[in-house]
Amino acid sequence: MLAYLDTAPSPAGPVVFAVDEQGALAGLRFLDGKYAHTLEEELTRAGYELAADEKKSAAVRQRLVEYAEGTRMDFDLPVAMRGTPWQQAVWSALMEIPAGQTRSYRDLAAMAGRPAAARAAGRANATNPIPLVVPCHRVIGADGSLTGYGGGLHIKQALLEHEARWRH
């Protein structure tokens, strides 16, 4: 199994991302983010062999550039995300939150089919391997506060501010 690494700009600084052999986005990290493991380490642990091929990653890179420029707010990309059925439900729900809008963890839990599971939705949100594209930054505390973000709250804030500026 191969994963092709590349980089692209974002409103919160450069990102490193990987696509699989079919071109599906398999992982993304902000280079300025604080993570326990690098994307390369995560992919290697998941069984990927790492390579580089700009042709394989071109479609994802182009969409990320368009997002950074404000000409695209949503992504129509195939994603390769491995997780439990609950994680998959939460990640699917995240993709339903429109750019420039936010939802609470309680809202996210309800969207994923378990209205009383706000904390579990938060845990699933925190394990999202493809932040930005699967927009976990659009989830905030019930009181409207910015809470937890895998790469750091500064990244979440930058993405939300970017979307607020470019929202149609």
Side-chain angles (χ1 to χ4, degrees):
M1 215 167 38
L2 287 173
Y4 301 94
L5 294 167
D6 202 346
T7 59
S10 90
V15 297
V16 60
F17 67 92
V19 297
D20 67 12
E21 294 173 271
Q22 289 73 44
L25 187 57
L28 184 144
R29 293 282 191 284
F30 292 89
L31 291 179
D32 187 33
K34 297 168 182 69
Y35 305 99
H37 303 283
T38 66
L39 179 59
E40 293 86 343
E41 290 168 340
E42 290 289 334
L43 292 169
T44 300
R45 285 190 346 194
Y48 285 98
E49 192 174 317
L50 305 179
D53 183 337
E54 290 186 2
K55 289 180 184 172
K56 293 274 190 188
S57 57
V60 172
R61 184 181 342 95
Q62 181 60 38
R63 285 169 176 82
L64 289 168
V65 167
E66 291 168 355
Y67 177 85
E69 292 172 342
T71 59
R72 169 184 296 278
M73 284 293 114
D74 292 302
F75 299 91
D76 58 342
L77 293 169
V79 293
M81 297 175 65
R82 296 180 181 169
T84 67
W86 172 244
Q87 288 171 320
Q88 295 283 348
V90 170
W91 299 335
S92 291
L94 287 170
M95 296 184 71
E96 299 301 318
I97 304 171
Q101 295 184 24
T102 58
R103 300 289 185 273
S104 70
Y105 290 97
R106 184 177 321 140
D107 295 336
L108 180 61
M111 291 169 66
R114 289 176 49 197
R119 286 187 183 187
R123 283 192 298 278
N125 192 44
T127 62
N128 172 14
I130 307 176
L132 177 61
V133 173
V134 178
C136 51
H137 62 278
R138 296 178 187 156
V139 181
I140 59 173
D143 63 358
S145 64
L146 295 187
T147 59
Y149 194 72
L153 286 179
H154 65 291
I155 293 173
K156 185 175 197 168
Q157 183 168 351
L159 296 175
L160 291 173
E161 288 173 358
H162 173 72
E163 290 181 3
R165 269 194 308 275
W166 292 100
R167 186 174 56 195
H168 292 54

